[in-house]
Amino acid sequence: MKIHRRIGALRKMKCFPCQFSNTVKSTQFNTSALMSVFEQADIISTVEFNHSGELLATGDKGGRVVIFQQEQENKTQSHSRGEYNVYSTFQSHEPEFDYLKSLEIEEKINKIRWLPQKNAAQFLLSTNDKTIKLWKISERDKRPEGYNLKEEDGRYRDPTTVTTLRVPVFRPMDLMVEASPRRIFANAHTYHINSISINSDYETYLSADDLRINLWHLEITDRSFNIVDIKPANMEELTEVITAAEFHPNSCNTFVYSSSKGTIRLCDMRASALCDRHSKLFEEPEDPSNRSFFSEIISSISDVKFSHSGRYMMTRDYLSVKIWDLNMENRPVETYQVHEYLRSKLCSLYENDCIFDKFECCWNGSDSIVMTGSYNNFFRMFDRNTKRDITLEASRENNKPRTVLKPRKVCASGKRKKDEISVDSLDFNKKILHTAWHPKENIIAVATTNNLYIFQDKMN
Amino acid sequence: MFMRGLKRKCFDGEEDIEGTLAGIKAIPSYNLQRQSLLDMSLVKLQLCHMLVEPNLCRSVLIANTVRQIQEEMTQDGTWQMINMQNTGQTSVDRLVSTDILCRSSREQAEGKHVPGYSTFSKDFEGDQAQDSSETMSTASSVQALRNLQSNVWEMENSQENKGNFQKSLDQIFETLENKSPNSVEDLFSEVDNSYYDLDTMLTGMMSNTKMGHCDGLEPFPSPTTTTSSSNCKSDLNELDHIVEILVES
């Protein structure tokens, strides 16, 4: 049944065919160099590498998932890592209509999470606002030939014409990648799902919406356990929502969830069935000198990510990235300012709704560098060891294919130096909300509105 | 608590070079800026897509900002001024029964946040007695809110708890008006009081007229003050008429 979409004032549905620009080869490496740019048909809404880094999945506003695969390393070109090419594209979620509430359910993919590989096939979880799906992505490069009762084109033979029998054999064919939905986890969330996270036991996973967190078993779709519920008895008393949640990478009983008030709660599932009482509460006291009407909004945490080691976690609020030691609850161990020059512009950013943008953040494989996005297609990296930081731009105009990315600088006030960009000329429509870092190598994926950029760092 | 200089910064950010001069001139308009922030927030709460469920996080954050402004206005004494000018108190009793009926049906339904914030008309009616320049902006926003409100109620009347969240804010305003504004704790203490406000009455009226949706879910007896409940589709005059009745009674 075709669902007619009414075009709301704030919804832009652009449909034009997928275009994939030609892969750009880089042979020179210094800091970061542009490797590939892919233009997508719709706004990219999530980016995620798989556990080996060989595959990179993106989800978009149109409910599609596009998976890129890294080419196997070429022995002759030992200094260049394999580049990424499109591997598979499929429609994960379709737009739905909730007849009871007379509201559309967006097909936009909010999150993708990969399962660790157990056999030849790959599995990932993708979710929109209401439904989570487990997808199996498998390759087929052989097909059976030589049937007795069927012709090669599929038509059935007349049995009377068969004089000899033969055994069908597998012959190689062009690689075909198939994606099929294996599980559909639906009807468990009243509010919009913002996070999914796979447990380290690889059997269960959690899904979090604005007010609740549910625990699922990957094999069971008709039942989930509610482990966190912050919905007040009286919705009138609602002042805080859940913004993100993640399982600890090593402890299968531990997870965290962040809130719109800037707090992070760590919960232990062994303590009780309903983890409404946190084991730890991470909150930094407010700086009274920076207090304004917007203090609460900018303290709202948009993303939380554990380090690979499991010792630290990183949170992203509107203006900063904070690193927390799980053993210390009263303040973060490190704070990095992403775009402090925006502090004086909060009113305008509130007016144009940019203050509600949810930026994500990510760790590199060794937990030494953290990365997050900003406006004007800028993204920032912070080196935790050297305390240096860099601002780079994901844009095709300014970055020639072979050259190294030039660090950018934003001039907050006063005299603008050459090559600096003033705050007022920043384009707030060009925002980088989603970034991902290869788990092992220095390859990063950065999503602007419609484009996916893949950069790699110097090899030696 | 709030450093006035700090709040000014964000507005001055627009004014570039003459920032320093503007800063000095801006001191008296802090209230105006705060008021416009309040207006902006209320409009934001109204202007949500009705096609897709609105973003709960965003709505909660905006509502918290509104609360914050209201708290400050209370402490400033600005709120007290509004309170004294407000004349819509006597009609309260007549609305009680409607409200209780509305509430009981709604509370049975599953809690779901629908930020269909409608009129804080009482507050704005009070505001109209204030400084004329401030009144201009608020009066027009009142109209805008009323326009939006009728549309909003149209779409939401059959849904659970549609007024709940907005009621919390209305309740805050109500508490401020009825009680001493000095007791800030009162803002959140009286959760269970009836909501003597226009919104609830209108909710009842709207729900009543959309028979198709309501019959199965929330059978409302007609509110006592409903005059012409046949067609409530964006009929602004209708609403004004009713407001008039309430205010005059």
Side-chain angles (χ1 to χ4, degrees), chain B residues 4 42 57 113 115 119 140 184:
Chain B
R4 301 257 167 135
L42 293 172
C57 183
H113 167 66
T119 148
S140 54
V184 182

Side-chain angles (χ1 to χ4, degrees), chain A residues 40-288:
Chain A
Q40 307 228 340
D42 222 327
I43 298 170
I44 299 171
S45 52
T46 184
V47 181
E48 185 83 356
F49 279 100
N50 76 336
H51 291 255
S52 66
E54 185 203 350
L55 298 176
L56 174 65
T58 62
D60 69 19
K61 194 157 165 280
R64 272 177 302 271
V65 171
V66 181
I67 302 178
F68 302 87
Q69 184 189 40
Q70 193 179 24
E71 265 178 18
Q72 293 309 309
E73 283 194 24
N74 205 326
K75 293 287 188 273
T76 58
Q77 286 183 297
S78 57
H79 59 280
S80 129
R81 296 188 187 93
E83 34 180 74
Y84 284 83
N85 299 307
V86 179
Y87 177 65
S88 169
T89 306
F90 57 94
Q91 186 76 29
S92 170
H93 286 73
E94 297 277 359
E96 285 172 47
F97 198 76
D98 184 337
Y99 294 98
L100 196 62
K101 296 178 194 165
S102 292
L103 290 174
E104 272 194 17
I105 298 171
E106 279 192 302
E107 66 275 28
K108 172 168 74 89
I109 308 292
N110 293 333
K111 283 286 176 339
I112 289 174
R113 289 288 182 263
W114 290 93
L115 265 70
Q117 191 172 11
K118 282 193 287 195
N119 51 37
Q122 301 278 356
F123 288 86
L124 60 79
L125 283 176
S126 73
T127 184
N128 69 347
D129 283 339
K130 299 284 186 179
T131 306
I132 306 139
K133 294 189 183 179
L134 176 70
W135 286 88
K136 175 180 175 184
I137 296 110
S138 48
E139 289 182 5
R140 194 191 293 222
D141 60 355
K142 293 185 263 295
R143 67 154 191 254
E145 285 178 22
Y147 283 107
N148 293 294
L149 294 175
K150 270 199 296 193
E151 301 284 0
E152 294 307 327
D153 58 7
R155 281 179 307 157
Y156 280 98
R157 269 189 190 169
D158 181 359
T160 56
T161 63
V162 177
T163 52
T164 60
L165 288 178
R166 54 187 177 165
V167 176
V169 292
F170 275 103
R171 295 214 188 279
M173 60 179 251
D174 288 339
L175 179 67
M176 198 164 74
V177 181
E178 299 170 324
S180 58
R182 305 301 287 183
R183 305 268 186 280
I184 296 180
F185 305 91
N187 301 321
H189 285 278
T190 309
Y191 304 96
H192 292 181
I193 297 175
N194 53 53
S195 311
I196 47 175
S197 175
I198 299 171
N199 204 348
S200 48
D201 63 9
Y202 301 147
E203 283 186 354
T204 56
Y205 74 95
L206 63 76
S207 59
D209 66 27
D210 294 316
L211 297 178
R212 298 190 176 101
I213 302 180
N214 293 332
L215 181 71
W216 302 82
H217 192 284
L218 284 164
E219 300 291 326
I220 299 169
T221 59
D222 60 354
R223 225 174 315 155
S224 71
F225 290 101
N226 177 240
I227 52 178
V228 171
D229 188 341
I230 64 166
K231 179 169 173 286
N234 245 329
M235 276 297 272
E236 301 141 10
E237 294 165 10
L238 179 67
T239 56
E240 192 175 9
V241 299
I242 296 171
T243 51
E246 195 178 55
F247 264 120
H248 191 276
N250 306 322
S251 305
C252 58
N253 50 277
T254 307
F255 66 93
V256 293
Y257 67 93
S258 61
S259 82
S260 58
K261 285 201 168 161
T263 63
I264 308 103
R265 287 173 173 79
L266 185 140
C267 299
D268 188 333
M269 294 197 292
R270 297 170 298 188
S272 66
L274 188 62
C275 302
D276 273 355
R277 290 223 301 251
H278 52 264
S279 302
K280 294 194 185 193
L281 175 69
F282 297 84
E283 187 173 14
E284 183 173 26
E286 200 178 3
D287 178 6

Side-chain angles (χ1 to χ4, degrees), chain B:
Chain B
M1 178 162 100
F2 290 96
M3 289 162 63
R4 301 257 167 135
L6 209 71
K7 186 69 187 66
R8 255 183 288 122
K9 242 199 275 183
C10 74
F11 291 96
D12 288 347
E14 317 303 328
E15 282 151 18
D16 266 343
I17 304 140
E18 60 257 16
T20 44
L21 288 173
I24 297 161
K25 280 190 274 188
I27 292 172
S29 72
Y30 171 76
N31 282 342
L32 188 62
Q33 289 172 357
R34 184 176 60 187
Q35 183 66 46
S36 78
L37 183 63
L38 177 62
D39 293 343
M40 201 199 309
S41 306
L42 293 172
V43 170
K44 276 185 185 302
L45 290 174
Q46 275 286 17
L47 286 177
C48 41
H49 304 245
M50 287 322 296
L51 187 60
V52 178
E53 272 177 87
N55 189 333
L56 185 62
C57 183
R58 179 175 171 272
S59 308
V60 166
L61 289 173
I62 297 172
N64 289 350
T65 309
V66 168
R67 267 199 204 98
Q68 221 181 315
I69 296 172
Q70 291 299 334
E71 272 178 40
E72 195 187 87
M73 284 171 89
T74 313
Q75 289 170 2
D76 266 359
T78 322
W79 199 251
Q80 216 159 2
M81 264 166 63
I82 298 169
N83 184 29
M84 290 192 311
Q85 320 257 351
N86 201 309
T87 55
Q89 302 298 319
T90 50
S91 55
V92 150
D93 297 337
R94 203 181 296 190
L95 294 175
V96 171
S97 57
T98 307
D99 168 71
I100 288 171
L101 292 164
C102 296
R103 260 184 70 215
S104 58
S105 320
R106 218 172 279 123
E107 275 170 6
Q108 285 159 17
E110 162 82 13
K112 174 182 138 11
H113 167 66
V114 176
Y117 297 91
S118 62
T119 148
F120 300 90
S121 55
K122 272 223 274 248
D123 327 321
F124 290 118
E125 279 161 9
D127 276 357
Q128 278 161 16
Q130 264 188 320
D131 191 33
S132 59
S133 58
E134 291 183 30
T135 310
M136 296 297 263
S137 55
T138 40
S140 54
S141 64
V142 171
Q143 287 304 102
L145 277 177
R146 288 221 187 114
N147 283 326
L148 293 164
Q149 169 209 322
S150 40
N151 293 332
V152 160
W153 284 124
E154 262 302 294
M155 302 198 59
E156 295 175 13
N157 54 17
S158 64
Q159 297 159 24
E160 329 97 321
N161 276 4
K162 55 182 172 291
N164 269 359
F165 200 77
Q166 154 255 314
K167 269 198 293 192
S168 68
L169 290 170
D170 288 340
Q171 179 200 333
I172 289 164
F173 301 136
E174 183 55 31
T175 316
L176 291 171
E177 286 155 10
N178 287 340
K179 315 228 187 269
S180 160
N182 294 325
S183 51
V184 182
E185 300 76 42
D186 284 352
L187 279 173
F188 297 104
S189 63
E190 298 234 312
V191 180
D192 291 322
N193 252 6
S194 310
Y195 309 117
Y196 313 126
D197 57 356
L198 189 58
D199 311 305
T200 321
M201 192 281 298
L202 288 171
T203 307
M205 184 184 79
M206 296 286 184
S207 308
N208 199 31
T209 54
K210 263 269 177 111
M211 286 306 169
H213 287 279
C214 279
D215 276 345
L217 302 172
E218 305 170 353
F220 288 172
S222 24
T224 52
T225 50
T226 306
T227 49
S228 54
S229 54
S230 51
N231 182 21
C232 55
K233 236 185 174 42
S234 311
D235 197 344
L236 201 56
N237 294 332
E238 203 85 49
L239 295 171
D240 278 343
H241 180 55
I242 289 155
V243 170
E244 227 178 325
I245 292 172
L246 293 170
V247 167
E248 281 166 4
S249 58

